[in-house]
Amino acid sequence: VLGMPQDMRADKGMPFNEILQVINKTSSPVSSANSFLNIEFADLSWEKGSPSSIQHKDIYASEIGALEESKHVFINGNNLIERWKNLPDNASFTVGELGFGAGLNFLITCQEFLKHSPKNSTLNFLSFEKFPFSREDMERTHSKYPSLNKESKQLVDNLPLNSKGVHRVSIN
């Protein structure tokens, strides 16, 4: 692997997951990519207490009514509650989203899916994000929404290492 010290290479006995952990250590917990394997975190401004993208000059969640907006646009706009109520037992339901952002749509979707879907059904949530939030920024954003504490903790506790590629997070 280019740029990796010889004593860290997997063929020298160090397991790959330990190599990634060493590479992913940063001097600041919110710093962006410091390795060719790392993804770049969203560069955020916190004016008025809400996260906004410095690069894209756009807010991620409005200061007032972000959860209501998510429910109205994402859940109700796609008629998800009715669709979940009509799922057969042991069914799987897949949602796709472009732009994970702070993950509010994901958290609301998980919460509502558990309320309205049959037992033993499974939610698959596929999302794509070029500049994900750092763990700290995600926690800061989620802290404004106590009704999502349970789902937020599970998400944050299961965030993958800061490495490029496809990541699968399982939440119960």
Side-chain angles (χ1 to χ4, degrees):
V1 177
L2 297 175
M4 183 179 296
Q6 285 285 12
D7 61 339
M8 286 178 51
R9 290 182 35 187
D11 62 349
K12 297 296 181 188
M14 186 176 214
F16 187 68
N17 65 333
E18 289 180 28
I19 293 170
L20 285 178
Q21 288 172 356
V22 171
I23 290 171
N24 286 328
K25 287 184 180 176
T26 61
S27 57
S28 166
V30 294
S31 67
S32 287
N34 65 330
S35 153
F36 67 95
L37 290 176
N38 290 149
I39 48 179
E40 186 176 342
F41 290 127
D43 192 11
L44 302 177
S45 166
W46 289 90
E47 293 177 31
K48 300 179 185 174
S50 291
S52 61
S53 168
I54 293 173
Q55 179 180 6
H56 302 292
K57 297 175 179 42
D58 195 13
I59 60 171
Y60 281 95
S62 62
E63 178 66 19
I64 300 170
L67 297 185
E68 293 78 9
E69 179 183 357
S70 182
K71 284 181 184 178
H72 176 73
V73 173
F74 201 75
I75 302 295
N76 298 339
N78 289 294
N79 198 28
L80 294 180
I81 292 174
E82 189 64 32
R83 292 166 68 188
W84 293 332
K85 286 180 178 178
N86 291 317
L87 284 176
D89 288 339
N90 299 312
S92 178
F93 191 90
T94 302
V95 172
E97 178 186 41
L98 295 177
F100 191 75
L104 294 180
N105 283 342
F106 170 73
L107 298 175
I108 291 286
T109 301
C110 288
Q111 196 174 64
E112 294 297 316
F113 181 80
L114 291 172
K115 282 184 203 172
H116 301 288
S117 65
K119 291 187 183 212
N120 300 320
S121 56
T122 303
L123 173 66
N124 297 303
F125 193 99
L126 305 174
S127 186
F128 303 88
E129 181 60 64
K130 184 171 183 176
F131 301 108
F133 278 33
S134 68
R135 178 182 305 268
E136 291 76 14
D137 286 335
M138 191 171 285
E139 288 176 327
R140 183 175 176 183
T141 303
H142 294 178
S143 71
K144 299 171 145 231
Y145 310 104
S147 64
L148 299 174
N149 281 350
K150 178 183 171 188
E151 293 83 3
S152 174
K153 180 171 178 11
Q154 288 185 49
L155 171 62
V156 171
D157 287 351
N158 288 285
L159 287 174
L161 292 173
N162 176 23
S163 58
K164 290 181 180 178
V166 176
H167 303 283
R168 183 178 188 144
V169 177
S170 296
I171 298 176
N172 297 322

